Amino acid sequence: MRTIDCRGLSCPQPVLMFTQANKEDDTTPMDVLVDNPASVENVSRAARKKGWSVQAVPCEEQGAGVVRLELRK
């Protein structure tokens, strides 16, 4: 399991971080932490295009408005 912390970053940075992680390893499950609606949408879209299933889970223990995107192949 891999966690990518994109809190505090605006697009396209979270998408670029996901894309780089996907290039390095495209089979290990990933959790991507984001804290704005645009990043939720953009990272989810990019992940689905690469064949990942995406589950968006509110993750308030990580901070207000934080969503954990659970990416699985």
Side-chain angles (χ1 to χ4, degrees):
M1 171 74 68
R2 202 172 174 176
T3 300
I4 303 169
D5 189 350
C6 298
R7 292 175 293 172
L9 301 175
S10 58
C11 280
Q13 194 63 32
V15 173
L16 295 173
M17 290 173 71
F18 159 72
T19 301
Q20 182 61 41
N22 185 69
K23 283 181 187 176
E24 293 169 5
D25 180 356
D26 68 352
T27 59
T28 301
M30 287 186 239
D31 287 349
V32 181
L33 300 174
V34 294
D35 59 2
N36 64 72
S39 292
V40 171
E41 290 301 316
N42 294 337
V43 172
S44 295
R45 185 179 318 111
R48 287 185 182 107
K49 281 184 175 182
K50 302 239 183 247
W52 294 87
S53 66
V54 179
Q55 175 89 25
V57 179
C59 193
E60 295 297 323
E61 68 271 8
Q62 294 290 336
V66 174
V67 174
R68 182 177 64 243
L69 299 173
E70 297 176 347
L71 310 181
R72 307 294 184 262
K73 280 276 180 148

